Structures are given as C-alpha cells and as structure tokens.
Amino acid sequence: QVQLVESGGGLVQAGGSLRLSCAASGRTFSSTAMGWFRQAPGKEREFVAAINWSGSSTSYTDSVKGRFTISRGNIVNTVYLQMNSLKPEDTAVYYCAQSNAHDWYGDFIPDYWGQGTQVTVSS
C-alpha cells in the first residue's frame, strides 16, 4: 500500500513563506504524477498544484499562481511545495497526493493521499 507523509506545515504571518515536503515510504523506482490539495474548515478539498513524472509540466490553481512552486526531489516520488507571499485564505490542511499515471490531461486525479499537514496564516 502506498504511504505518503507530509511535513513542513506551521504558523506564519501573512506575507511569510513555508516549504512543504512529501515523501513516499520505502523505495519507489517508478515516477508518477504527484501534487497537492488543501481543505479549509467548512470547505471542499481543492486542487492546489501538480507535477508530472519528470517535472517537465506543472499545473496550479489560479489563486496560487505566482506565489507557490511545486517541484520534484532527488528521491523518486518526493515533492515539495514552496509557498511564498502567504495569505490568511491559504490557511488549510494541505494534503500530498499521488497518481498511478505519469501525467494528466485536464484534471489531476489522485489515487493515493497523505494524512495532511496544517498551514495557518495569521493576519
């Protein structure tokens, strides 16, 4: 069973930065598309960013474009989310996600989810 573990969440002031990390358990030798979702209290879980198997293609929701950057790590199926210029509306639990596919067409649809890491941005 695939296990994803997120880290790097915390409390920051508006305008600050955080870097989230996601690592798959064990050794993985097949690279697939990965991404991040978030869920604020009382709201639906929403897509944030995704990256394909090689890192050559990325996708972002409009609200984070220009502020967040998704990247792949040196270890297969590890990803990062660099979050700059954070706003209070970015406050949410952030979930790492992985697809069985190498890429996507249209929406990024995950097959596996992490447990989430809390990001809180104060005014």
Side-chain angles (χ1 to χ4, degrees), residues 29-34 50-57 72 76-77 98-105 108-109 111:
F29 298 97
S30 179
S31 182
T32 62
M34 299 185 70
I51 188 166
N52 75 344
W53 71 278
S54 67
S56 63
S57 295
R72 303 196 73 97
V76 170
N77 291 328
Q98 182 178 10
S99 172
N100 284 324
H102 293 109
D103 213 329
W104 67 92
Y105 184 80
F108 169 70
I109 307 298
D111 295 292

Side-chain angles (χ1 to χ4, degrees), residues 5-12 17-23 35-39 48-49 68-73 78-84 86 90-97 116-121:
V5 180
E6 307 96 333
S7 63
L11 173 65
V12 296
S17 298
L18 283 174
R19 188 181 187 231
L20 305 184
S21 300
C22 174
W36 294 89
F37 288 73
R38 66 186 181 186
Q39 187 168 25
V48 176
F68 291 10
T69 303
I70 188 170
S71 60
R72 303 196 73 97
T78 62
V79 291
Y80 303 95
L81 186 68
Q82 179 66 46
M83 305 185 294
N84 298 326
L86 283 162
D90 294 317
T91 295
V93 176
Y94 282 70
Y95 296 91
C96 181
T117 185
Q118 178 70 48
V119 172
T120 303
V121 184

Side-chain angles (χ1 to χ4, degrees), residues 56-77:
S56 63
S57 295
T58 58
S59 180
Y60 299 91
T61 191
D62 287 344
S63 64
V64 308
K65 287 180 179 177
R67 299 188 298 120
F68 291 10
T69 303
I70 188 170
S71 60
R72 303 196 73 97
N74 295 123
I75 301 173
V76 170
N77 291 328

